[in-house]
Amino acid sequence: MYKNIFTALIAAYPALVFAENNAQDHSSLLAALMLDDITVTATRTPISTKTATGDITIIDRQEIERVSGGGLVDLLKLQPGIQILTNGGMGNAASVYMRGTNADQLVVLVDGIRINSATTGTTAFENLPLSLIDRIEILRGPASSLYGADAIGGVIQIFTRRSQQNKTLFYGNVGAGSYDTYTGNAGFDSKYKALQFGAQMTSYDTRGISAKKHPPTAIDKDRDGYNNQGGSAYATLNIADGHSLSVNFFESDGKNHYDSGFENYATMHQQVYSATLKDRVTEYWNSTLKFGIGKDRSFNFDRPTRQSKFETEQAQLTWQHDFKLPVGVLTFAYDRLEQDIQTSTNNTRNIDRTRNNDSFTLGYTAQHEAHSAQLSLREDHNTQYGNFVTGGIGYGYALSPQWQITAQYGSAFRAPTFNQLYFPNFGDPTLQPEKSDNFEASLRYQNATVQAKLTMFDNHIRDLIQNAGPVTATCGTSFAGFCPINAGKVEIQGVTAEGAYAFNQQWQLTGNFTIQSPRNENTDNLLARRSQRYSNLVLQYKYGDWNWSTEVTSASKRYDNAANTKVLAGYSLLNSTLSYKLNEDWRLQARANNILNKDYVLAAASSTVDYNTMGTNVFISLNYDMK
């Protein structure tokens, strides 16, 4: 009962405060509407989001803090064109579908280094601590002409926390919530002469919920807990004006329990470290040399006897040159990616493979008066699947200071994963990469109080890799007669609308709505677990030291299988956040999720059992951030 009263108070806060105007400055609400932010993901060079022709979203630290207590997937599911599914509660596998594409048709970077698993092709978003993240940039649509293989759906780039201020700062938080959840985070930033540096560490622990809803076996009815420890660090040495050397480090270790008829568990280790040398060779020529390694290692223990281990190491080298022209910037980049994979089952190694990729990228961005343009061309040479050439072209025109139209074309491809190629009794080494062509157009509007964008897209994917049965001559029997094949074409048509409106200095309404049709052209069936309609609506209010927001997330029905015979019902969720600024440095925050205790399903574990989702839950945190 007390939890219900508490969540109701969070949701109803604006009705409990004074209805008078506040004389303090609340310009942050209006500033959040402005599109003129800087992104590097859209073109690999700094560019204003106002003139970028691509479909870009930037998530800042303020929005990350608003959903504290949850995970990265809780933040991503609020973004335009993104759907999330999870196989249970916190720590269980999460999939991100961008514009209806598959979870493995997405490039994910941490501080510029790939963190996708080359064994599965997906990213363990559930194991990336939200408290270590400072900023997220999302580029929707094919981007292989900038980032190479796998960017059919888009790119998500995560930047770890660091300060831009020239003084020593400390920050941290502690929190507790439902399902015996406890968190802690602490970090600092400092500067000594020409050296800027910082580090942080984080911990998350929860007893969680049962991964399966109403499981048939007694042992699977237990709560499946999750814990995570992570950390990040950086240092930047300004050698001279226009010359700097920086190093970055990120690590996350998680352990989660899951339901499979026994007391099973899995561990996930992710690590990224890199060094970057930036040089302003001349007034018109900037050079960036980056070397980094991304690692992921997972271990699954399936009682009573089965153990499996998957390890990926991806060494990455980039040497990029940006030339400032009389109009625009010309970019030339060389990228090398070395992937080393090792897997084993019951201590017997079954995959030990490597593949290398060399690529050359040529790009051009320009903005002149009412016109903006983006061009990119890339050739990839891979030791496993040969050569691929991809390209992109975008154009934007400002009809007026408020109105802008854009149009863009991009091609992309996805490389088969090592599991799909070589896993015993499953993989097929003759698989070909998936290929796609995407066309999109947008209409944008912005003034001092209103921001709106309408984007239409049409993505054609060929040689889609999917599992097919019964057993064929190239498949074994370890996976119930299914193995990966190049089968079918997919067309994903859709439109995304997003906008924000500031009623005054205190109230702001933001939202997004996506309509899409991700269909297999051979069967005319919808792709599994993808809604045709989904939306988010966020209402925010600021009064003095109080900050309140409430959000509604909705999705239409989906099908859990490719045959479109098992229906997953649509749902709507109500969440809310309330924070109070105790003083300049301290802030108390409470967040309530699924306030109406909606019973909903994101994915099915079998034909009779669904994966579980969390009911009403609350989280309270005390936050310190030295100003």
Side-chain angles (χ1 to χ4, degrees):
M1 180 181 70
Y2 294 108
K3 181 170 68 173
N4 294 335
I5 295 175
F6 182 68
T7 55
L9 287 173
I10 296 176
Y13 166 73
L16 306 178
V17 299
F18 297 103
E20 63 188 58
N21 291 330
N22 191 293
Q24 296 185 21
D25 179 20
H26 303 294
S27 60
S28 60
L29 285 179
L30 294 175
L33 291 177
M34 305 309 290
L35 278 172
D36 196 9
D37 203 347
I38 300 299
T39 173
V40 296
T41 307
T43 62
R44 293 185 49 157
T45 58
I47 187 175
S48 167
T49 53
K50 190 174 183 178
T51 59
T53 61
D55 188 8
I56 289 285
T57 293
I58 294 179
I59 307 173
D60 59 17
R61 183 63 202 170
Q62 182 177 355
E63 177 64 8
I64 292 172
E65 291 175 347
R66 195 179 67 82
V67 298
S68 65
L72 177 56
V73 293
D74 297 303
L75 179 66
L76 291 177
K77 70 182 180 182
L78 298 175
Q79 310 312 313
I82 291 181
Q83 273 197 293
I84 302 289
L85 74 84
T86 58
N87 293 345
M90 292 295 295
N92 281 286
S95 298
V96 175
Y97 298 139
M98 187 178 293
R99 284 187 177 178
T101 57
N102 291 335
D104 54 9
Q105 295 172 333
L106 182 68
V107 167
V108 182
L109 309 171
V110 173
D111 292 327
I113 302 299
R114 277 185 180 242
I115 201 169
N116 307 63
S117 173
T119 54
T120 64
T122 58
T123 301
F125 287 99
E126 68 279 0
N127 200 56
L128 299 177
L130 198 57
S131 57
L132 298 181
I133 299 173
D134 183 66
R135 173 184 174 97
I136 302 172
E137 296 185 5
I138 301 172
L139 173 62
R140 286 173 287 273
S144 287
S145 60
L146 293 171
Y147 296 98
D150 309 330
I152 286 180
V155 178
I156 295 178
Q157 181 155 204
I158 296 168
F159 298 91
T160 53
R161 291 189 69 173
R162 67 198 60 211
S163 174
Q164 303 299 323
Q165 301 186 45
N166 294 323
K167 60 179 180 180
T168 298
L169 300 171
F170 294 93
Y171 55 87
N173 66 68
V174 292
S178 305
Y179 308 116
D180 299 308
T181 300
Y182 302 96
T183 70
N185 169 255
F188 76 94
D189 293 284
S190 188
K191 183 176 183 180
Y192 178 74
K193 295 183 178 180
L195 180 65
Q196 182 91 33
F197 58 96
Q200 66 169 322
M201 56 183 180
T202 185
S203 176
Y204 183 99
D205 187 86
T206 181
R207 284 190 63 198
I209 60 176
S210 174
K212 291 181 179 178
K213 190 186 297 286
H214 311 304
T217 59
I219 196 169
D220 281 348
K221 295 179 180 179
D222 66 331
R223 294 166 67 175
D224 296 299
Y226 170 68
N227 62 73
N228 177 282
Q229 289 78 43
S232 66
Y234 76 95
T236 300
L237 177 64
N238 293 308
I239 303 170
D241 186 27
H243 304 271
S244 65
L245 175 64
S246 62
V247 292
N248 299 278
F249 175 79
F250 168 89
E251 184 170 20
S252 174
D253 279 288
K255 179 179 180 180
N256 73 286
H257 293 261
Y258 60 92
D259 292 333
S260 185
F262 299 95
E263 291 186 21
N264 301 322
Y265 68 87
T267 63
M268 170 60 71
H269 171 84
Q270 293 164 289
Q271 188 180 81
V272 172
Y273 48 92
S274 63
T276 305
L277 178 64
K278 293 185 177 181
D279 294 293
R280 189 171 64 221
V281 183
T282 71
E283 183 181 354
Y284 305 100
W285 177 13
N286 289 314
S287 171
T288 301
L289 180 63
K290 177 189 286 284
F291 176 77
I293 294 179
K295 295 182 178 181
D296 68 88
R297 180 175 67 248
S298 63
F299 175 80
N300 294 72
F301 184 67
D302 298 320
R303 294 181 185 272
T305 59
R306 184 179 174 86
Q307 303 177 36
S308 56
K309 187 177 182 180
F310 299 84
E311 294 183 86
T312 300
E313 180 175 299
Q314 302 185 82
Q316 302 162 65
L317 173 69
T318 295
W319 194 11
Q320 180 169 317
H321 302 270
D322 302 314
F323 301 93
K324 184 178 179 181
L325 304 178
V327 177
V329 175
L330 180 68
T331 297
F332 175 77
Y334 165 74
D335 297 306
R336 180 171 174 83
L337 175 64
E338 299 178 355
Q339 297 177 314
D340 184 8
I341 311 298
Q342 295 182 5
T343 71
S344 60
T345 302
N346 296 336
N347 297 317
T348 300
R349 184 168 295 179
N350 42 40
I351 299 180
D352 189 351
R353 297 272 185 168
T354 62
R355 68 182 178 194
N356 302 325
N357 191 93
D358 294 283
S359 64
F360 300 89
T361 302
L362 184 65
Y364 176 73
T365 58
Q367 196 279 321
H368 179 66
E369 297 180 345
H371 306 273
S372 56
Q374 177 182 333
L375 303 171
S376 55
L377 183 68
R378 177 177 172 122
E379 184 174 13
D380 287 87
H381 305 265
N382 192 280
T383 56
Q384 188 270 319
Y385 52 78
N387 298 343
F388 270 86
V389 176
T390 51
I393 179 171
Y395 173 75
Y397 181 73
L399 302 170
S400 71
Q402 294 81 31
W403 290 94
Q404 183 191 33
I405 57 173
T406 69
Q408 185 150 312
Y409 162 80
S411 60
F413 71 101
R414 184 184 80 84
T417 67
F418 278 79
N419 285 356
Q420 291 172 334
L421 291 168
Y422 305 118
F423 203 88
N425 299 317
F426 177 75
D428 181 357
T430 66
L431 282 175
Q432 296 300 305
E434 301 171 340
K435 297 171 281 292
S436 77
D437 294 282
N438 179 78
F439 300 87
E440 63 185 75
S442 71
L443 176 64
R444 308 173 185 180
Y445 177 83
Q446 178 180 295
N447 63 22
T449 59
V450 177
Q451 171 191 314
K453 182 167 69 171
L454 184 71
T455 303
M456 296 172 288
F457 55 91
D458 188 1
N459 197 357
H460 294 257
I461 304 172
R462 307 180 304 281
D463 293 326
L464 180 73
I465 299 175
Q466 61 186 28
N467 291 342
V471 177
T472 69
T474 57
C475 285
T477 58
S478 299
F479 293 85
F482 289 86
C483 65
I485 62 171
N486 288 111
K489 300 178 181 179
V490 169
E491 181 177 12
I492 306 176
Q493 296 178 322
V495 58
T496 296
E498 54 185 298
Y501 175 64
F503 297 93
N504 51 43
Q505 298 285 4
Q506 287 133 333
W507 289 93
Q508 178 180 305
L509 180 67
T510 61
N512 58 77
F513 182 67
T514 299
I515 302 175
Q516 63 182 21
S517 178
R519 292 186 180 275
N520 186 311
E521 291 187 357
N522 292 340
T523 63
D524 200 38
N525 289 340
L526 291 170
L527 298 184
R529 299 175 176 176
R530 262 141 286 194
S531 298
Q532 290 185 280
R533 299 177 304 280
Y534 51 96
S535 64
N536 299 283
L537 193 66
V538 181
L539 180 65
Q540 298 184 66
Y541 176 75
K542 183 175 176 64
Y543 181 86
D545 293 325
W546 292 91
N547 239 316
W548 170 86
S549 67
T550 193
E551 63 203 36
V552 178
T553 299
S554 302
S556 65
K557 73 175 184 180
R558 294 132 291 131
Y559 297 100
D560 190 69
N561 56 352
N564 286 186
T565 57
K566 181 174 177 57
V567 177
L568 303 177
Y571 63 90
S572 292
L573 305 178
L574 176 66
N575 310 316
S576 192
T577 301
L578 177 63
S579 68
Y580 178 69
K581 191 175 181 180
L582 301 172
N583 57 36
E584 188 67 16
D585 301 323
W586 290 90
R587 177 174 52 86
L588 185 64
Q589 179 166 303
R591 179 168 173 85
N593 297 301
N594 196 4
I595 293 173
L596 302 180
N597 201 31
K598 176 70 175 179
D599 184 10
Y600 67 105
V601 175
L602 295 176
S606 68
S607 60
T608 57
V609 178
D610 297 324
Y611 284 114
N612 208 359
T613 54
M614 287 188 271
T616 301
N617 61 93
V618 297
F619 184 82
I620 302 174
S621 61
L622 180 63
N623 306 271
Y624 176 78
D625 195 348
M626 180 186 292
K627 298 294 189 293

